[in-house]
């Protein structure tokens, strides 16, 4: 079911079909987080995930409705080819002159914030770790949480015309990447640490989009999927080996007990921190270089937060 909806999301050529896949992966996520439905915490976490995603989806629906109001179509190709003609279209809201292109971009980004667990709607992702570990590896690290970044990249010809949206995307992305990483430092639960790390890496992808480098963002998305899935699956093996113990304070000396998993975890961690000649290095460092090379206030801000 999840794969079916994810393929719909990625292969669609219009916003309605994309939205069907978008809602479908949210549903699959909800069902899989509450897999152990007898555990109260799992049921609560699933509810939290779906409610926070609903807030984001509300933004996306507004954005799609606004697109239809102006372009009279949902088709990507037509919208992207004609967006240049609608740059000066605006409306008044409480005597504020708002451009349609800014409105579309900002609300589309709100949808991405909900799905990609950016600052503000990020709290569902660490709680989503109540689901089984393979679910965390597949959905909440590699595929579904990157759907938000995917829609920003997919709609890039439209968003590129809105400077305000790009500015907001950069600021929110860099704040997420810093705060999620620092929050992860103080977690005890093994899977929650990796979840916050995912949140942080999504921040990198988002601010790379904000700096108009969508290809680099997609490159990092692809790399991240692999090393994060490796980390999650290794964490799953550790949790099983220690009789379902997730508290890191009770672990130690696992090199003797699980030498292979230790090596795998080490490789995943090194790639995550951008160790030279591993995949993380090639994508993560390029994002930071791009932020550094642009002489603008928001990119400088993103560079400093991303470097920490």
């Amino acid at each position: 079911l999840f794969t079916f909806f994810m393929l719909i999301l990625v292969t669609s050529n219009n916003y309605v079909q994309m939205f069907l896949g978008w809602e479908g992966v949210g549903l699959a996520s909800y069902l899989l987080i509450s897999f152990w439905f007898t555990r109260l915490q799992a049921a609560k976490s699933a509810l939290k995930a779906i409610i926070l995603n609903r807030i984001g989806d509300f933004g996306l629906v507004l954005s799609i409705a606004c697109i239809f109001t102006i372009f009279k179509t949902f088709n990507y190709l037509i919208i992207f080819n004609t967006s240049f003609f609608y740059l000066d279209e605006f409306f008044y809201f409480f005597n504020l002159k708002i451009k349609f292109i800014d409105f579309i971009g900002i609300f589309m980004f709100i949808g991405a914030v909900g799905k990609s667990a950016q600052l503000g709607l990020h709290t569902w992702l660490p709680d989503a770790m109540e689901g089984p570990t393979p679910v965390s590896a597949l959905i909440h690290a590699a595929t579904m949480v990157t759907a938000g970044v995917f829609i920003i990249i997919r709609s890039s010809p439209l968003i590129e015309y809105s400077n305000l949206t790009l500015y907001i995307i950069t600021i929110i992305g860099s704040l997420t990447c810093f705060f999620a990483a620092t929050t992860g430092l103080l977690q005890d639960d093994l899977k929650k640490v990796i979840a916050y790390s995912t949140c942080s890496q999504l921040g990198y992808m988002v601010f790379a989009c904000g700096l108009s480098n969508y290809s680099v963002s997609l490159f990092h998305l692809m790399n991240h999927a692999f090393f994060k899935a490796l980390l999650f699956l290794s964490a799953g093996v550790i949790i099983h080996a220690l009789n379902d113990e997730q508290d890191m304070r009770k672990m130690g000396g696992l090199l003797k007990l699980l030498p292979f998993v230790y090596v795998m975890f080490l490789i995943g961690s090194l790639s995550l921190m951008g160790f030279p000649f591993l995949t993380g290095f090639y994508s993560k460092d390029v994002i930071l270089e791009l932020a550094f090379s642009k002489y603008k206030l928001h990119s400088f801000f993103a560079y400093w937060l991303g470097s920490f």
Side-chain angles (χ1 to χ4, degrees), residues 118-119 167-180 200 203-204 206-208 298-299 301-306:
Q118 295 300 295
L119 210 62
Y167 195 87
I168 291 171
I169 288 175
T170 312
I171 298 295
I172 299 279
S174 49
L175 280 172
T176 306
C177 124
F178 180 71
F179 280 109
S200 173
Y204 276 103
V206 168
F207 89 66
H298 60 282
S299 65
F301 178 77
Y303 170 73
W304 274 105
L305 283 185

Side-chain angles (χ1 to χ4, degrees), residues 85-149:
F85 300 109
Y86 297 99
L87 291 185
D88 298 326
E89 296 278 325
F90 62 89
F91 62 96
Y92 283 103
F93 180 73
F94 287 120
N95 281 345
L96 280 172
K97 183 180 173 182
I98 298 171
K99 280 188 177 180
F100 270 116
I101 203 99
D102 288 342
F103 181 86
I104 291 169
I106 289 166
F107 277 90
M108 191 171 285
F109 179 56
I110 290 172
V113 164
K115 191 65 86 185
S116 282
Q118 295 300 295
L119 210 62
L121 299 173
H122 66 286
T123 46
W124 68 269
L125 186 60
D127 285 9
M129 297 302 128
E130 291 297 328
T133 311
V135 171
S136 304
L138 172 70
I139 297 184
H140 303 120
T143 45
M144 192 199 85
V145 286
T146 53
V149 181

Side-chain angles (χ1 to χ4, degrees), residues 57-74:
D57 295 344
F58 178 67
L60 188 62
V61 168
L62 278 177
S63 172
I64 292 172
C66 189
I67 284 171
F68 189 71
T69 310
I70 301 175
F71 296 97
K72 305 289 184 288
T73 178
F74 292 114

